Amino acid sequence: MPTTKEDYAHHISQQFNNELEEVRTHFLEMGGLVEKQVADAMHALLDADSVLASSVQENDRKINAMETRVDEELVRILARRQPAASDLRMIIAIGKAITDLERIGDEAAKIARYAQALCEEGESPRGYVETRHIGNQVRVMIHDTLDAFARLDVDQALKVMQADVEIDLEYKTATRALMTYMMEDPRYISRVINVLWVLRGLERIGDHARNIAEQLIYLVKGADVRHVSYEQVEQKIHG
Amino acid sequence: MPTTKEDYAHHISQQFNNELEEVRTHFLEMGGLVEKQVADAMHALLDADSVLASSVQENDRKINAMETRVDEELVRILARRQPAASDLRMIIAIGKAITDLERIGDEAAKIARYAQALCEEGESPRGYVETRHIGNQVRVMIHDTLDAFARLDVDQALKVMQADVEIDLEYKTATRALMTYMMEDPRYISRVINVLWVLRGLERIGDHARNIAEQLIYLVKGADVRHVSYEQVEQKIHG
């Protein structure tokens, strides 16, 4: 129970810190679930596990509910307090990052849907080597970007931004390979197209992970690094 | 010049209203440019106009800059004022909607890139009828969602949400048609795949327009209608 004015102010700011910390925890919890969803969607695809594919699609509702809750918490904080600059940046960064996190969840659910379609068609289609490889890289990106958020680590965020550049290149190579498969054997067109959609989804997930990393840089450095090349961002931060 | 305390409060709140109004104007200006970018990207594609396709890609930078500016204005307002509930909703809704608007811009630039690739390959590929049709519908959606924002019109926003349901269905039909074209004549696979990406981009634009409409409903009604079916939203609003 606060007894002096200073105590009271301290008490208020302590409570505010707790609220902010709680939002960040919920954000990271949601991140953990999203990470698991992407991993499960890839397993469902590569192991032709249609039960797992269904459960990924089912779990997407949990992620949506988590997004709604975090957003509500952020609005409540904004309505009741007038946060100082750095706290405000935390609120804004989480508010933006949560949207990308939810959309990664959507992509995972879509990949699970393609996995199910591919299970039904039977027989392992071509393009799985590329898909497995890019899938692994994207999972590392999600992990690293959440880790950067947990530790407020700008260098980790930079690493994620760089990884996205690599993934975009590998995605291009992989789609060209798939196109060749289709031309070689048109009977597999509809299967290969499903694999192509999975790859596209993974590439999008990479973009979203990069967006989250950009928000972490904004949060820590106060710099808006969207629409800026990797080299310029590094310059801005270390230069 | 304010003379009494009430005048002063009025003065402050008037200035605040002006700031908010200005942000909304900038948001709508950005919307106007995005709308034009999508229209131009479609013209570039359908008329095989590679000069127009280049200019769409070039203009994307303007949209990115507009997003950055609006975001800065929103942060400045949040840092200096403690907005009341409805003003806060306006700030949050614009902050979320601007992200979707910028991503519509990205999709327009990508469509322009595919348009350019298709120009180089020469000869009008199949799937243009479907693309033209869905493209027109998507343009109407963007127009209507911005109009809903300009007039704070919830019914217009509902109309946009309903249109998105239709576009998703037509997109599915169109992709099936394109798949058939590829199987019929594998020589056209790489061209048809480019048209497929354009369709996918249009479908995404529809999703983003829907997201913006959802933010307008949040702004006016205070209800979070993301992750809710069209029927449930209508129930919530017209009850």
Side-chain angles (χ1 to χ4, degrees):
Chain A
M1 175 81 66
T3 51
T4 68
K5 204 172 165 186
E6 284 70 30
D7 276 0
Y8 188 71
H10 176 75
H11 175 76
I12 290 280
S13 82
Q14 188 52 48
Q15 195 184 323
F16 179 50
N17 282 343
N18 292 345
E19 282 175 17
L20 263 189
E21 208 33 63
E22 200 172 62
V23 174
R24 199 162 72 104
T25 305
H26 290 157
F27 170 76
L28 291 171
E29 277 171 12
M30 179 173 160
L33 183 54
V34 166
E35 200 180 334
K36 186 173 178 305
Q37 286 279 91
V38 174
D40 285 351
M42 290 308 294
H43 283 305
L45 178 80
L46 299 168
D47 308 339
D49 182 340
S50 74
V51 177
L52 187 56
S54 302
S55 100
V56 170
Q57 290 170 79
E58 185 59 33
N59 280 335
D60 191 43
R61 285 196 296 169
K62 285 187 205 162
I63 289 172
N64 295 343
M66 284 168 121
E67 182 195 25
T68 304
R69 183 175 69 164
V70 170
D71 262 331
E72 280 168 3
E73 289 170 340
L74 293 173
V75 173
R76 215 177 302 133
I77 291 177
L78 280 174
R80 288 212 318 252
R81 324 262 181 194
Q82 185 154 24
S86 71
D87 293 336
L88 187 54
R89 287 210 304 268
M90 167 83 84
I91 292 167
I92 289 165
I94 291 183
K96 296 256 181 204
I98 200 105
T99 306
D100 284 292
L101 213 44
E102 190 269 333
R103 290 185 190 167
I104 293 179
D106 285 346
E107 295 295 340
K110 279 183 207 167
I111 290 174
R113 225 164 32 235
Y114 295 121
Q116 213 150 25
L118 286 158
C119 286
E120 282 159 19
E121 290 185 340
E123 200 180 318
S124 169
R126 302 183 77 165
Y128 269 30
V129 176
E130 293 86 346
T131 308
R132 183 192 303 270
H133 178 62
I134 294 182
N136 286 339
Q137 283 177 295
V138 160
R139 282 170 56 192
V140 170
M141 275 182 83
I142 301 174
H143 183 83
D144 285 353
T145 203
L146 291 169
D147 187 47
F149 244 96
R151 300 190 292 110
L152 303 179
D153 183 339
V154 170
D155 286 317
Q156 182 86 301
L158 275 173
K159 207 179 118 191
V160 172
M161 292 182 74
Q162 197 169 28
D164 189 42
V165 177
E166 286 162 30
I167 283 179
D168 286 351
L169 287 175
E170 294 194 23
Y171 164 74
K172 278 193 192 115
T173 311
T175 51
R176 269 198 297 270
L178 288 179
M179 220 101 90
T180 312
Y181 299 154
M182 280 192 269
M183 287 184 234
E184 281 168 9
D185 197 338
R187 281 174 306 163
Y188 295 114
I189 285 177
S190 99
R191 286 178 212 186
V192 176
I193 291 264
N194 277 330
V195 181
L196 210 52
W197 292 142
V198 170
L199 275 177
R200 180 78 157 194
L202 290 172
E203 187 260 343
R204 294 274 175 171
I205 292 176
D207 288 344
H208 289 301
R210 180 195 151 116
N211 292 340
I212 296 173
E214 288 171 349
Q215 288 304 323
L216 186 270
I217 293 174
Y218 167 73
L219 160 55
V220 177
K221 294 281 180 180
D224 186 344
V225 296
R226 299 174 297 186
H227 319 310
V228 170
S229 76
Y230 173 75
E231 287 71 25
Q232 287 169 307
V233 176
E234 215 189 11
Q235 182 81 29
K236 242 182 178 169
I237 286 170
H238 291 135
Chain B
M1 176 79 70
T3 51
T4 70
K5 200 172 162 187
E6 285 70 30
D7 275 358
Y8 188 71
H10 176 75
H11 176 76
I12 290 281
S13 82
Q14 188 53 46
Q15 195 185 324
F16 178 51
N17 282 342
N18 292 346
E19 283 175 17
L20 262 189
E21 207 35 61
E22 200 172 62
V23 175
R24 200 161 72 103
T25 304
H26 290 156
F27 170 76
L28 291 171
E29 277 170 13
M30 178 173 163
L33 183 54
V34 166
E35 201 180 335
K36 188 174 177 304
Q37 285 280 91
V38 175
D40 285 350
M42 290 309 293
H43 283 305
L45 178 80
L46 299 168
D47 306 341
D49 182 340
S50 73
V51 176
L52 188 57
S54 301
S55 100
V56 170
Q57 290 170 76
E58 186 57 33
N59 280 335
D60 191 43
R61 286 197 295 169
K62 285 188 205 162
I63 289 172
N64 296 344
M66 284 167 121
E67 181 195 24
T68 304
R69 182 174 71 166
V70 170
D71 262 330
E72 280 168 4
E73 288 170 342
L74 292 172
V75 173
R76 214 177 303 134
I77 291 177
L78 281 173
R80 288 213 319 252
R81 324 264 181 191
Q82 186 154 22
S86 71
D87 292 335
L88 186 56
R89 287 210 302 269
M90 167 82 83
I91 291 167
I92 289 165
I94 291 183
K96 297 254 181 206
I98 201 105
T99 306
D100 284 291
L101 213 44
E102 190 270 335
R103 292 187 187 164
I104 294 179
D106 284 346
E107 295 296 341
K110 280 184 207 165
I111 290 173
R113 222 159 39 230
Y114 295 122
Q116 213 150 24
L118 285 159
C119 285
E120 283 158 20
E121 289 186 339
E123 199 181 316
S124 167
R126 301 184 76 162
Y128 269 29
V129 176
E130 294 86 345
T131 308
R132 182 191 304 270
H133 178 63
I134 295 182
N136 285 339
Q137 282 177 297
V138 161
R139 284 170 56 192
V140 170
M141 275 181 82
I142 302 174
H143 182 84
D144 285 353
T145 202
L146 291 170
D147 186 47
F149 244 97
R151 299 190 293 111
L152 301 178
D153 183 338
V154 169
D155 286 317
Q156 182 86 305
L158 275 173
K159 210 179 117 192
V160 172
M161 294 183 72
Q162 197 169 26
D164 189 43
V165 177
E166 285 162 30
I167 282 178
D168 287 350
L169 288 175
E170 294 192 23
Y171 164 75
K172 279 195 190 109
T173 311
T175 52
R176 268 197 298 270
L178 288 179
M179 220 103 90
T180 312
Y181 298 154
M182 280 192 272
M183 287 183 237
E184 281 168 6
D185 197 338
R187 284 174 304 162
Y188 296 114
I189 284 177
S190 101
R191 288 180 210 183
V192 175
I193 292 261
N194 278 330
V195 181
L196 211 52
W197 292 141
V198 170
L199 276 177
R200 181 75 157 195
L202 290 172
E203 187 260 343
R204 293 271 176 172
I205 292 176
D207 289 344
H208 289 301
R210 181 195 150 117
N211 292 341
I212 296 173
E214 288 172 351
Q215 289 304 322
L216 188 267
I217 293 174
Y218 167 73
L219 159 56
V220 177
K221 293 281 180 181
D224 186 344
V225 295
R226 297 173 299 186
H227 320 309
V228 170
S229 75
Y230 173 75
E231 288 70 24
Q232 287 170 305
V233 176
E234 214 189 12
Q235 183 80 29
K236 244 183 180 172
I237 287 170
H238 292 136

